[in-house]
Amino acid sequence: MTTRTTGKLKIIHSLVASAALTALAGCAGSGGDSPADDPTGGDPSANTLLKTPTEQLQLKSSTSCEAVTDYVTDSIANLILNSGFIGCVDCVRTATGLPLVDVADANVPVPAAADASISAGDGAGFAEVTGTNTQESGVDELDILEADAAGNFFLIDGRHLVIANGTPPQELRELANLNLGHIGQPQGLLLDETNSRLVVVLSGDGLFSPANTALIAPDIWIPPVVKLLFIDVADPADPVITRRLTLDGYRIAARRIDSRVHLVSHFTPAMPAAITDNPELSDLRRQYVNAVAGGPGDADALERSIRDTVATLIAATSAADYVPSIWQQQGETDPVLLEDPTCADIATPDVSMPFALTMVTSIDTDGSNIGRLAIANNAWNVYASEENLYLMQPSSGWWWDRRQSQQTAIFKVRIGSGLPAFVSLGMVDGWANSSYQFSEHDGYLRVATNRWEIDPAIDRFLQHNNLYVLADTAGATMEVVGSVEEFGIGERIFSARFLGDRGYVVTFRQIDPLFAFDLSDPFNPSLEGELEIPGVSTYIHPIESNYLLTIGFDGDDGGLNRRIRLQLFDVQDLADPRLLHSHLPEFDVDGFAWTSALHDPHAFNYFDSAAVLTIPVQYRASRLDDHFSGFAAFKVDTLAGFTELGRLDHSDLARKTYCPDPVLGISVVICDDGQYLESANPSRSVAA
């Protein structure tokens, strides 16, 4: 694919198998091509699970606007024939065509910055800062807190960017407090320390808030948008928003590699009003449902009528209605709509699915040099290496047939300094719900999936796990070159980690098996060892070269309990993984312990050079005085195990924020029973 100019968009629609379409109430209809390897010969009553061939998901080029409207027509017709009408899932741009601009919030003043003489140059700074815990080295992930070596902290606080300096630590002070605007809820930020740039990602609802929808014309849709703010932080005491971008859709993931940000977002156009408000089409759908269920009427003839009606209605719309817009605002100038894609930029598939675009927008950290790619699919899981993005779509996104087996389509996208480019497509059995179940190493992609479905051929519920190794081949495909299948029978994956030529997977049912894999030969991966212990690990972190530090829930023969467990494993010998040390943070009274690090790796802060782990901790007990809300720090030693260094309870700070002063004598339920602590759940720490 050729490099496009700034503001250009390349759209590619994936080929998604529709097989023999399933109608409402589980009855089979028609309207799609059956997979080439359908062992039933297209018989929808046969009890055989179907697997979609990779070639039916492969990407295909097209150069006409007619192909775009034909694709949308087929997709909408199939939705009507199988699932009924859908409303506005994400919605689309406003019918006014007005730019998406900030609305000043007169009730939220912009606090003045601190003395500009306090800058990154003051103080000794930090020799090392942990920063955000990321899956891959060199691939920065969106977080609410970033830090630099000069001792500056960049924090999202509500709708404000707070910049503080912590050198020396005892003199931590705020440098600046920047109002990020009324439209958009901040989702996180990415720091390009080398160039003193900050990129803040926000999500919002375009020009109007949902509360105002009743006040505007009914034909004006309220679009969800992703907003990027590009901020110059060369002087931390005086941050300046230099550029803004507003994109139709909502954020899935964001990564920064060097001075380039790669945003993955999802865009679903609104169902055209010509479809949703058409009484003839609604009546045809009702007749079709009745005919398929055994009532009067010719189902095949009604299907043709529905398809013809949809085609006529969609032909009256514009292909541009199904493409997301992007607006750019330089400094305080008016927003400008960047160049729309031409029909030649858009590709369409041969078979349909619920229409949606997964967008990859690559842009420099100063907001320049924009490149965009769109793949028509419903991918929700993203993994990124330093060179490639992988977009994962489970078969639920093209599940037109009740016999469709669980599969995952993997779209490989090359990222760099220009336009993102599709590279190849792979397919594996089972589903994966975490980016940590994917890893690229030496040109190979490793994937861990879980299968949990009923096989009607044997009338049994099957649950097991698979590990696959994929490699690029001719024809823009990734093929499975090695695998270990059906391990952890009856269990599902709770955590996974691929480290070099090794892989580790934790599954759970009543016990916590740790599986260790040798991946040194990608064509012959092998399951080398297995260790079973009570409880479950939800996150795996490498320390040194042959040890794993994990966090999860404690457990016993009866299942999981209400305690957090830290564990340290020796995996020098993959055939014999060993649990070295285990630690349960103790509390004086019975209660329920929780940490966001159980599900959010960004909350897991391991300072490698000091061998210190800090995690946020919430502990709820029967009495308010026994609650805890703060952080705990642990020394981690492969010989001595875990030593708790201390705890920092910020419950008193939370109470001052959320509750009235006790001297007022006002009783508030959420304060009396400690519910206010749920709104003050600690989530991040930085070690230096």
Side-chain angles (χ1 to χ4, degrees):
M1 295 184 181
T2 57
T3 301
R4 310 296 299 184
T5 58
T6 296
K8 278 285 189 177
L9 166 67
K10 184 70 174 179
I11 295 185
I12 297 176
H13 298 283
S14 63
L15 300 180
V16 183
S18 60
L21 302 181
T22 304
L24 294 175
C27 298
S30 60
D33 296 328
S34 296
D37 64 346
D38 183 351
T40 71
D43 178 9
S45 65
N47 290 327
T48 303
L49 289 175
L50 302 179
K51 289 188 178 181
T52 301
T54 303
E55 55 266 24
Q56 289 194 272
L57 286 140
Q58 191 54 270
L59 303 183
K60 173 176 177 282
S61 297
S62 178
T63 57
S64 72
C65 290
E66 184 181 1
V68 176
T69 53
D70 285 348
Y71 174 80
V72 174
T73 296
D74 197 35
S75 176
I76 292 177
N78 284 336
L79 282 173
I80 293 172
L81 291 166
N82 290 272
S83 305
F85 292 107
I86 60 169
C88 176
V89 178
D90 303 342
C91 299
V92 71
R93 74 208 55 168
T94 63
T96 62
L98 296 174
L100 305 174
V101 297
D102 273 333
V103 177
D105 187 348
N107 297 320
V108 183
V110 180
D115 186 349
S117 64
I118 302 175
S119 68
D122 295 314
F126 299 139
E128 182 184 356
V129 180
T130 55
T132 295
N133 179 25
T134 61
Q135 181 176 355
E136 299 289 357
S137 176
V139 183
D140 191 20
E141 300 175 8
L142 195 69
D143 201 3
I144 61 173
L145 173 66
E146 294 271 16
D148 65 21
N152 296 308
F153 301 98
F154 304 86
L155 173 68
I156 294 297
D157 182 15
R159 297 183 184 273
H160 291 256
L161 167 68
V162 176
I163 304 178
N165 186 270
T167 54
Q170 61 270 23
E171 296 181 13
L172 175 67
R173 68 270 188 201
E174 181 178 295
L175 302 183
N177 193 315
L178 180 65
N179 188 342
L180 298 176
H182 176 71
I183 296 179
Q185 180 63 40
Q187 302 295 301
L189 45 82
L190 297 160
L191 174 65
D192 177 4
E193 184 174 357
T194 301
N195 296 295
S196 300
R197 300 169 184 163
L198 199 66
V199 180
V200 179
V201 180
L202 307 93
S203 64
D205 295 309
L207 277 174
F208 305 95
S209 69
N212 294 328
T213 57
L215 305 179
I216 60 178
D219 59 343
I220 299 180
W221 294 105
I222 307 301
V225 296
V226 183
K227 193 160 194 172
L228 303 182
L229 303 183
F230 301 88
I231 304 175
D232 184 340
V233 291
D235 181 358
D238 186 25
V240 178
I241 300 176
T242 60
R243 193 171 302 191
R244 297 173 173 86
L245 282 182
T246 303
L247 303 85
D248 287 341
Y250 59 88
R251 172 191 63 88
I252 296 177
R255 301 288 188 268
R256 180 191 62 82
I257 301 170
D258 297 325
S259 61
R260 192 82 168 152
V261 168
H262 308 279
L263 174 75
V264 182
S265 58
H266 181 86
F267 172 76
T268 302
M271 180 73 75
I275 298 292
T276 59
D277 298 341
N278 187 281
E280 177 187 355
L281 192 58
S282 180
D283 185 59
L284 285 172
R285 173 187 171 273
R286 179 187 58 77
Q287 294 181 54
Y288 174 77
V289 171
N290 289 337
V292 170
D298 184 335
D300 290 340
L302 288 166
E303 177 185 337
R304 288 192 295 271
S305 295
I306 288 174
R307 291 188 180 279
D308 291 344
T309 303
V310 171
T312 300
L313 296 173
I314 296 299
T317 67
S318 169
D321 293 338
Y322 310 109
V323 179
S325 295
I326 177 170
W327 296 81
Q328 185 180 70
Q329 185 178 4
Q330 189 87 20
E332 299 304 318
T333 62
D334 291 335
V336 175
L337 178 64
L338 298 186
E339 184 179 359
D340 283 336
T342 65
C343 295
D345 292 317
I346 300 175
T348 56
D350 288 336
V351 289
S352 70
M353 64 174 180
F355 180 68
L357 297 178
T358 300
M359 309 291 301
V360 179
T361 303
S362 295
I363 186 168
D364 289 347
T365 53
D366 64 355
S368 64
N369 188 22
I370 304 171
R372 305 180 75 198
L373 170 71
I375 297 175
N377 66 15
N378 292 278
W380 305 106
N381 195 0
V382 175
Y383 163 74
S385 68
E386 290 192 84
E387 297 181 347
N388 300 297
L389 272 172
Y390 294 87
L391 310 174
M392 280 68 75
Q393 176 179 347
S395 53
S396 56
W398 71 83
W399 209 334
W400 292 110
D401 195 300
R402 65 174 180 269
R403 297 171 296 155
Q404 170 66 52
S405 181
Q406 291 178 343
Q407 293 176 279
T408 297
I410 307 168
F411 298 83
K412 181 178 181 179
V413 177
R414 181 66 47 83
I415 52 177
S417 59
L419 184 75
F422 170 74
V423 177
S424 57
L425 169 70
M427 182 87 77
V428 294
D429 291 341
W431 290 351
N433 58 12
S434 168
S435 66
Y436 282 86
Q437 291 171 239
F438 298 82
S439 172
E440 180 188 277
H441 181 66
D442 289 342
Y444 295 93
L445 179 69
R446 293 83 62 84
V447 182
T449 67
N450 176 246
R451 181 192 183 193
W452 47 286
E453 61 184 333
I454 294 176
D455 188 339
I458 57 176
D459 194 26
R460 281 180 52 201
F461 177 77
L462 301 178
Q463 184 168 13
H464 58 256
N465 308 281
N466 307 308
L467 186 147
Y468 299 100
V469 181
L470 296 91
D472 284 332
T473 61
T477 61
M478 285 185 290
E479 291 187 358
V480 174
V481 297
S483 65
V484 178
E485 298 184 294
E486 299 189 13
F487 65 90
I489 305 297
E491 300 174 339
R492 69 181 180 91
I493 295 174
F494 265 70
S495 58
R497 197 70 188 255
F498 294 94
L499 304 168
D501 58 7
R502 296 181 169 199
Y504 306 95
V505 175
V506 170
T507 62
F508 178 75
R509 184 172 59 183
Q510 290 295 334
I511 56 175
D512 175 4
L514 170 67
F515 296 95
F517 298 86
D518 182 353
L519 308 176
S520 56
D521 181 356
F523 296 91
N524 293 287
S526 60
L527 173 56
E528 294 294 306
E530 177 182 348
L531 176 65
E532 294 186 351
I533 54 177
V536 63
S537 297
T538 58
Y539 174 66
I540 302 171
H541 191 86
I543 64 172
E544 299 181 15
S545 58
N546 292 301
Y547 299 92
L548 301 177
L549 172 62
T550 73
I551 188 170
F553 286 107
D554 184 38
D556 48 41
D557 293 339
L560 302 179
N561 57 40
R562 301 181 297 174
R563 305 182 70 183
I564 301 168
R565 180 181 288 276
L566 303 174
Q567 296 179 119
L568 189 60
F569 295 90
D570 180 347
V571 289
Q572 297 181 74
D573 182 358
L574 287 179
D576 184 27
R578 294 184 298 122
L579 175 63
L580 291 181
H581 305 285
S582 181
H583 179 76
L584 283 77
E586 297 292 340
F587 294 88
D588 294 334
V589 297
D590 290 338
F592 176 77
W594 170 258
T595 171
S596 53
L598 288 165
H599 65 87
D600 182 3
H602 297 151
F604 188 97
N605 193 349
Y606 182 72
F607 197 16
D608 188 68
S609 61
V612 171
L613 169 68
T614 60
I615 58 172
V617 176
Q618 281 269 40
Y619 191 77
R620 291 188 63 87
S622 57
R623 293 192 323 125
L624 179 59
D625 290 345
D626 295 320
H627 286 11
F628 177 86
S629 180
F631 292 87
F634 307 88
K635 181 73 173 181
V636 182
D637 188 283
T638 57
L639 296 178
F642 297 92
T643 303
E644 185 168 334
L645 301 177
R647 300 178 186 181
L648 178 64
D649 192 342
H650 72 183
S651 299
D652 55 337
L653 299 177
R655 187 173 183 86
K656 289 179 181 178
T657 301
Y658 293 96
C659 300
D661 191 322
V663 301
L664 299 178
I666 300 175
S667 178
V668 179
V669 173
I670 64 169
C671 296
D672 295 341
D673 64 8
Q675 291 183 36
Y676 68 93
L677 292 176
E678 298 301 323
S679 300
N681 184 26
S683 60
R684 294 294 186 276
S685 62
V686 173

